[in-house]
């Protein structure tokens, strides 16, 4: 027979976890989109002009007509960036022959070190073709601001530093409008099916 008293802590724990989850979600939405976006979603993202991994100008217009995923990171990031980009590439890969009907974009938060050459090697190491964009410090700051990305250089001693940053994958529709944060922590097939809805 089950002891009802022993179930209480578990229920309490579940409730606490649920409440914490809700608070986190609310905080996350406000963080990503800003309070005003509860009314106006379009406040995330927007026009940009950066430099791609081939050293060419790349703008939001190059993405018109296809939904795309955007992630901000940097090449030297030890864990979060490579993991997230791997997951993103797996989603695009899972689109199979439709892969070119969507796009994956990485925007560097370390423009000082992430040259187009370095980005080309880096982004080319993932399963699916993606673009990696850089720009001047000002250009990167501007695009990060429009996406409400937090990032900060953290000194590691000497000339070395790392970059602390938020790690959201943004789903943008084929008009370049923000849809929602995109969950890459699920099977690539499930995530790809979700992405297909925006073709
Ligand atoms: Ni990172």
């Amino acid at each position: 027979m089950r002891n009802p008293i022993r179930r209480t802590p578990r229920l309490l724990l579940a409730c606490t976890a649920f409440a914490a989850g809700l608070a986190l979600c609310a905080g996350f939405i406000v963080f990503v989109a800003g309070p005003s976006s509860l009314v106006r979603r379009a406040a995330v993202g927007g026009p940009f002009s950066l430099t791609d991994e081939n050293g060419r100008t790349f703008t939001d217009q190059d993405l018109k007509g296809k939904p795309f995923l955007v992630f901000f990171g940097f090449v030297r990031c030890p864990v979060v960036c490579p993991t997230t980009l791997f997951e993103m590439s797996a989603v695009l890969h899972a689109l199979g022959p439709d892969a070119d009907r969507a796009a994956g974009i990485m925007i560097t938060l370390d423009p000082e070190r992430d040259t187009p050459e370095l980005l080309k090697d880096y982004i080319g190491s993932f399963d699916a073709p993606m673009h990696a964009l850089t720009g001047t410090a000002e250009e990167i700051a501007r695009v990060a601001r429009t996406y409400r990305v937090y990032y900060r250089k953290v000194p590691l001693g000497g000339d070395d530093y790392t970059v602390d940053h938020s790690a959201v994958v943004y789903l943008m529709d084929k008009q370049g409008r923000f849809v929602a944060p995109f969950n890459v922590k699920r099977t690539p097939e499930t995530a790809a099916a979700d992405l297909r809805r925006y073709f």
Side-chain angles (χ1 to χ4, degrees), residues 29-54:
I29 289 164
V30 170
F31 170 71
V32 167
S36 65
S37 77
L38 296 175
V39 188
R40 204 166 53 87
R41 265 193 331 189
V44 175
F48 64 82
S49 179
L50 296 167
T51 303
D52 74 7
E53 69 284 356
N54 294 308

Side-chain angles (χ1 to χ4, degrees), residues 46-119:
F48 64 82
S49 179
L50 296 167
T51 303
D52 74 7
E53 69 284 356
N54 294 308
R56 298 196 199 102
T57 300
F58 191 102
T59 78
D60 55 293
Q61 294 300 311
D62 292 306
L63 296 161
K64 274 280 156 69
K66 45 177 87 171
F68 58 98
L69 302 176
V70 187
F71 180 72
F72 289 79
F74 66 112
V75 170
R76 294 225 206 157
C77 177
V79 180
V80 176
C81 292
T83 305
T84 308
L85 288 166
F86 173 79
E87 291 160 344
M88 256 172 74
S89 77
V91 175
L92 295 169
H93 192 77
L95 290 174
D98 288 333
D100 63 351
R101 294 183 68 184
I105 308 292
M106 172 206 179
I107 299 178
T108 184
L109 293 171
D110 188 7
E112 218 174 287
R113 294 187 296 199
D114 290 352
T115 60
E117 296 73 27
L118 192 61
L119 286 170

Side-chain angles (χ1 to χ4, degrees), residues 16 33 35 57-58 80 82 94 131 142 148 150 152 177:
T16 309
T57 300
F58 191 102
V80 176
H131 289 288
R142 197 177 315 129
R148 296 166 194 266
Y150 157 85
R152 183 188 298 262
R177 294 174 305 205

